Amino acid sequence: MPIIPKNISQINQNIQEAITLSSFDEKVTLVAVSKGQPFTNIVTAFDAGIINFGENYLQEALDKKSHLEKLAIQWHFLGPIQSNKCKLITENFDWVHSIDRVKVMKLLNDFRPSYMRPLNICIQINSSGEETKSGIAINNAHEYLNDLIASLKELPMLKLRGIMSIPSNTENINQVVTEFKSMYKLYTELKTQIDTVDTLSMGMSNDYKLAIEHGSNLVRIGTAIFGAREIKINGSDN
Ligand SMILES: *Cc1c(COP(=O)(O)O)cnc(C)c1O
């Protein structure tokens, strides 16, 4: 079997094992992160059963999308968001996982075409405490989340689905587990407040099994599916 379908089948198996090991009997969504990959790899993964794809850079995503219009793909935006990109992001994606301010929420809402369904959003939480990371700091997440939630009432084209995090980049499993646990706690609290919340977006190539064991139900996996990223990414474009 070629490598991409083989990786996908192995990952699906690992996901099932992690669900069995966890105390959460939930369905887990696999988002294939295709940044840095040519569109032909997306076609290969789609043919192997993947329908959710994640991208971090707007222009790169639009270039690939133009080759893939016939495929019924759910597109997830994962990267940092600049205000001047909000119109194209909300016109071209089904989900945005990297929301961390009200201003961006308003723009995504206002530019969402009325013929489309509301945009699914996750709030990005900085669970690592590292100041360089994007997202709302987990330590004062409640306060900020309350502001964001209050603003949702006037944003009918947004549907809050949950929270997303990228944990510390560390070999220290205890640290990562601590972060996963605090994310799960925040997620369950949010779920009791807002009834559209059903998604805990955490876990990547290196830690998705651990994330699922701690309650994640959406994992974002790039290199473990596609191998190393091929396209040179222009950091100024997102
Ligand atoms: C790149 C990226 C991923 C995928 O990372 P891998 O380690 O390649 O699996 C997942 N989530 C976000 C937000 C990313 O930027």
Side-chain angles (χ1 to χ4, degrees):
M1 209 195 281
I3 190 75
I4 292 173
K6 191 166 163 230
N7 289 341
I8 290 169
S9 134
Q10 181 64 56
I11 289 165
N12 279 328
Q13 205 177 314
N14 293 344
I15 288 174
Q16 286 315 314
E17 278 169 24
I19 294 173
T20 312
L21 280 174
S22 78
S23 48
F24 312 93
D25 188 20
E26 280 208 67
K27 209 178 145 289
V28 172
T29 300
L30 170 56
V31 174
V33 180
S34 47
K35 66 174 177 222
Q37 301 292 339
F39 80 89
T40 47
N41 282 357
I42 298 179
V43 176
T44 307
F46 183 86
D47 288 342
I50 301 284
I51 54 171
N52 292 284
F53 288 88
E55 290 280 345
N56 287 49
Y57 306 97
L58 177 64
Q59 194 52 53
E60 182 193 334
L62 295 182
D63 290 347
K64 286 186 241 179
K65 271 193 86 189
S66 69
H67 298 278
L68 301 166
E69 265 148 22
K70 294 205 180 76
L71 307 187
I73 288 176
Q74 290 279 304
W75 290 101
H76 296 247
F77 192 82
L78 309 175
I81 304 168
Q82 293 164 9
S83 309
N84 63 350
K85 304 285 167 75
C86 285
K87 182 169 186 287
L88 280 169
I89 291 173
T90 199
E91 286 172 350
N92 283 283
F93 285 82
D94 302 289
W95 286 70
V96 175
H97 291 241
S98 42
I99 306 255
D100 61 2
R101 45 195 211 281
V102 174
K103 184 185 172 195
V104 161
M105 288 168 61
K106 290 199 167 126
L107 291 167
L108 293 172
N109 178 80
D110 295 352
F111 285 121
R112 182 78 169 169
S114 56
Y115 64 84
M116 292 177 99
R117 269 183 251 168
L119 178 69
N120 298 297
I121 62 164
C122 290
I123 309 292
Q124 184 170 353
I125 307 292
N126 176 1
S127 61
S128 73
E130 295 164 30
E131 286 188 6
T132 52
K133 287 256 170 79
S134 344
I136 291 168
I138 191 126
N139 297 329
N140 41 25
H142 286 102
E143 200 182 310
Y144 279 91
L145 276 177
N146 286 338
D147 277 359
L148 297 187
I149 290 167
S151 70
L152 277 173
K153 292 194 183 77
E154 271 121 59
L155 306 174
M157 293 307 281
L158 301 185
K159 183 173 180 181
L160 181 64
R161 299 296 295 269
I163 53 177
M164 179 275 245
S165 81
I166 305 171
S168 301
N169 187 5
T170 169
E171 307 276 288
N172 181 347
I173 300 236
N174 292 334
Q175 169 65 25
V176 174
V177 166
T178 303
E179 292 179 31
F180 285 162
K181 285 183 172 163
S182 46
M183 283 294 289
Y184 182 74
K185 183 163 175 283
L186 192 58
Y187 167 63
T188 50
E189 289 164 5
L190 196 59
K191 224 173 134 130
T192 61
Q193 278 177 277
I194 312 252
D195 56 15
T196 55
V197 168
D198 60 4
T199 303
L200 178 53
S201 168
M202 65 182 191
M204 320 203 308
S205 291
N206 289 331
D207 57 15
Y208 67 95
K209 285 176 271 185
L210 200 61
I212 292 167
E213 284 168 41
H214 291 89
S216 164
N217 59 11
L218 184 152
V219 292
R220 311 174 310 266
I221 303 184
T223 46
I225 292 177
F226 297 111
R229 295 186 247 280
E230 291 167 18
I231 297 171
K232 196 160 178 291
I233 287 162
N234 172 1
S236 68
D237 167 38
N238 76 68

